[in-house]
Amino acid sequence: MQYCRDPLTQNYKCLHGERGRILPTGTRDSTLEILVGEDGWVTHHENGILYSFDASKCMFSSGNFSEKLRIARLDCKDEVIVDLFAGIGYFVLPFLVRARARFVYACEWNPHALEALRHNLKINLVADRCHVLEGDSRMTAPKVANPARLLGQADVACDMMAVRGSRRRQVTSGVGGI
């Protein structure tokens, strides 16, 4: 059982679920059950970035912490980033908020993650530098002639961008690494 304090209302919420248990759906849905409180929305503060999401509908991967720190130290002020599997903004936000990327294209198909991603872009004051592309990234990935970084599983990302006609300088795997 996990108790979370909502930073806006100062009310506590009680969430219950098995840590790390994600439904094996294409959208990787959460199995947490709300025991106390009206909804599952929680806010996580990490490295100067706010991540808000409905924990009863979306997953949050704390295991990506070292990769997000690495991204935050990059200087991306003139770079265009493409994230093929954006989720709630795990990597989109560090690129925009800390690494100061010029622009990010964020592809996502989970409606709950999309809601959280759009909210997170607003509360972190970077929505003007991100275009959210809703749907399967195999269909929605932008034709960016030369994205500086492409986020996603390396093998899938390379195959997808070759089909979309893009050249890439660097592929960063969503599981930590370049």
Side-chain angles (χ1 to χ4, degrees):
M1 199 166 317
Q2 176 182 3
Y3 291 92
C4 300
R5 189 171 201 164
D6 187 310
L8 301 176
T9 65
Q10 299 301 308
N11 294 330
Y12 284 93
K13 297 178 183 188
C14 179
L15 305 173
H16 174 70
E18 293 179 38
R19 182 180 172 97
R21 178 131 159 67
I22 304 297
L23 291 176
T25 60
T27 54
R28 298 176 51 89
D29 301 304
S30 172
T31 59
L32 285 177
E33 176 186 354
I34 302 166
L35 299 179
V36 176
E38 294 182 24
D39 62 39
W41 278 88
V42 295
T43 300
H44 174 74
H45 188 262
E46 181 180 283
N47 196 27
I49 299 170
L50 294 172
Y51 297 89
S52 289
F53 59 100
D54 186 337
S56 68
K57 296 178 182 173
C58 294
M59 60 164 262
F60 182 82
S61 177
S62 58
N64 293 325
F65 182 71
S66 60
E67 181 67 359
K68 289 185 278 186
L69 284 177
R70 187 190 69 79
I71 288 170
R73 290 190 295 266
L74 298 173
D75 178 7
C76 299
K77 67 180 178 187
D78 295 322
E79 295 184 6
V80 174
I81 313 295
V82 177
D83 188 343
L84 297 171
F85 311 100
I88 67 166
Y90 301 105
F91 300 113
V92 169
L93 294 169
F95 268 113
L96 289 168
V97 175
R98 307 292 290 176
R100 305 273 187 224
R102 180 171 47 117
F103 199 81
V104 174
Y105 291 95
C107 303
E108 180 54 49
W109 69 355
N110 180 330
H112 304 296
L114 282 162
E115 180 182 7
L117 174 60
R118 288 185 175 110
H119 176 75
N120 291 333
L121 291 167
K122 288 178 189 170
I123 64 173
N124 285 286
L125 307 176
V126 292
D128 61 324
R129 296 189 351 249
C130 184
H131 182 67
V132 177
L133 298 158
E134 187 172 342
D136 187 332
S137 57
R138 290 173 291 188
M139 308 305 277
T140 63
K143 288 187 179 182
V144 177
N146 194 12
R149 288 178 169 74
L150 177 63
L151 304 176
Q153 291 178 273
D155 55 341
V156 174
C158 290
D159 290 346
M160 287 175 57
M161 293 313 278
V163 169
R164 301 285 300 161
S166 296
R167 297 181 314 277
R168 80 223 178 285
R169 293 195 315 238
Q170 183 174 3
V171 174
T172 301
S173 172
V175 293
I178 295 179

